[in-house]
């Protein structure tokens, strides 16, 4: 909407309209493969296998939806894609080889500076990192000192701590070896299910909830009891429609910190 004005204009003040660049975005179907529970399992097991499978399916779908959102929210413009500069360690991305630089304190200052220069809302930012990146942060004295204070309210919510005004959370998908966000060595964001090249790298995602969007339909669990041809068994299915996107066409509100390839 541009900058606010100063002074006393002639009335009526000129009126403008805002043309949104991101008006809609696609939703995709995320599902868990159907599972058959044989009739004898329903009878002899000493636990509710149907409930156990339905819960596991829900967790698998939630994980895939989070991967989808991380990829969709990841920065695509070079101005909001930064690289790590810390100590070298083994690559965590499944299919990648060699070493990657970890996150250093200087990198976090660089992230904070980039966020400040976006000139948008500063409080409430979230950083989503891998377990390896979590270890990088724990090696930073300022972060360790935060945990020594005994403040537990954030930790109970899954937030491992706040540094430079950013709340950090850890997530992991061992299929990818990342949070779901990957880049080439040239800094190009890859699609979620693209093949991993040896020089690809995982990234940490920094975002503000006001500048990203997602849509999730009501998840469905379908239980088909005693369908024909399965000798009295039960088939369980689970499915949801999900989509995500950045809010702004200029890319502000998200930032990716990619692990730099090193020898």
């Amino acid at each position: 909407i541009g900058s606010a004005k100063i002074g006393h204009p002639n009335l009526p003040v000129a009126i403008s309209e805002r043309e949104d660049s991101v008006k809609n975005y696609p939703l995709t179907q995320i599902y868990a493969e159907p599972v058959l529970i044989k009739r004898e399992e329903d009878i002899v097991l000493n636990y509710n296998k149907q409930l156990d499978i339905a819960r596991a399916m829900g967790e698998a779908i939630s994980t895939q939806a989070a991967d989808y959102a991380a990829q969709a929210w990841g920065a695509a413009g070079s101005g909001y894609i930064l690289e790590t500069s810390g100590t070298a360690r083994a690559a965590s991305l499944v299919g990648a080889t060699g070493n990657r630089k970890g996150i250093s304190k200087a990198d976090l200052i660089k992230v904070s500076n980039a966020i400040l220069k976006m000139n948008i809302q500063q409080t409430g930012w979230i950083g989503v990192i891998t377990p390896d990146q979590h270890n990088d942060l724990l090696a930073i004295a300022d972060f360790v000192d935060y945990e020594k204070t005994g403040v537990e309210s954030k930790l109970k919510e899954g937030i491992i701590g706040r540094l430079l005004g950013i709340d950090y959370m850890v997530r992991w998908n061992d299929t990818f070896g990342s949070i779901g966000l990957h880049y080439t060595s040239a800094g190009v964001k890859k699609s979620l299910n693209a093949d991993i090249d040896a020089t690809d790298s995982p990234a940490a995602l920094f975002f503000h909830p006001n500048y990203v969007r997602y849509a999730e339909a009501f998840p469905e669990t379908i239980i088909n009891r005693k369908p024909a041809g399965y000798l009295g068994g039960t088939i369980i299915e689970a499915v949801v429609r999900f989509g995500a996107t950045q809010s702004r066409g200029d890319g502000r509100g998200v930032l990716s910190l990619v692990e730099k390839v090193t020898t």
Side-chain angles (χ1 to χ4, degrees), residues 10-248:
N10 294 326
L11 299 179
V13 178
I15 298 174
S16 63
E17 294 185 41
R18 189 181 82 168
E19 183 66 24
D20 293 339
S21 57
V22 183
K23 295 181 179 179
N24 52 58
Y25 52 96
L27 271 69
T28 189
Q29 184 169 271
I30 300 176
Y31 67 95
E33 292 184 348
V35 174
L36 171 68
I37 302 176
K38 297 178 181 179
R39 182 173 181 271
E40 56 268 27
E41 291 180 306
D42 264 341
I43 296 173
V44 303
L45 292 177
N46 62 355
Y47 65 94
N48 189 334
K49 188 168 183 177
Q50 291 186 22
L51 180 62
D52 197 56
I53 290 175
R55 182 184 297 112
M57 284 181 165
E59 291 174 353
I61 288 175
S62 294
T63 296
Q64 186 67 271
D67 291 332
Y68 186 101
Q71 193 280 337
W73 292 350
S78 59
Y80 301 126
I81 299 175
L82 307 177
E83 288 187 320
T84 58
S85 62
T87 303
R89 50 173 169 71
S92 65
L93 200 60
V94 176
T97 60
N99 293 329
R100 302 293 183 272
K101 291 187 177 182
I103 298 176
S104 68
K105 183 177 179 181
D107 296 332
L108 300 183
I109 295 174
K110 184 167 55 177
V111 166
S112 177
N113 185 53
I115 290 173
L116 291 172
K117 288 185 176 180
M118 288 183 189
N119 198 29
I120 56 177
Q121 188 168 342
Q122 302 301 312
T123 58
W125 278 76
I126 296 171
V128 187
I129 57 177
T130 69
D132 290 339
Q133 294 163 352
H134 173 223
N135 288 346
D136 296 338
L137 297 190
L138 291 179
I140 299 173
D142 293 345
F143 200 87
V144 175
D145 290 344
Y146 172 87
E147 291 205 327
K148 288 178 180 178
T149 63
V151 178
E152 297 182 356
S153 59
K154 295 293 184 183
L155 302 178
K156 291 177 180 178
E157 297 172 4
I159 300 170
I160 60 173
R162 174 173 290 177
L163 191 61
L164 299 177
I166 301 170
D167 287 324
Y168 286 87
M169 294 184 177
V170 177
R171 79 171 306 269
W172 179 249
N173 185 322
D174 53 9
T175 300
F176 300 123
S178 71
I179 68 169
L181 182 59
H182 326 130
Y183 288 81
T184 68
S185 57
V188 178
K189 183 170 68 169
K190 303 198 72 166
S191 61
L192 185 59
N193 293 315
D195 292 336
I196 302 298
D197 294 323
T199 56
D200 288 347
S201 294
L205 172 66
F206 298 85
F207 72 94
H208 194 288
N210 288 353
Y211 302 98
V212 293
R213 301 173 184 166
Y214 77 94
E216 183 174 8
F218 188 78
E220 292 186 86
T221 300
I222 302 101
I223 300 178
N224 191 359
R225 304 182 191 280
K226 299 182 180 180
Y230 292 93
L231 302 177
T234 297
I235 297 176
I236 300 179
E237 303 171 89
V239 63
V240 70
R241 292 190 65 79
F242 184 87
T245 187
Q246 299 177 18
S247 296
R248 295 180 56 132

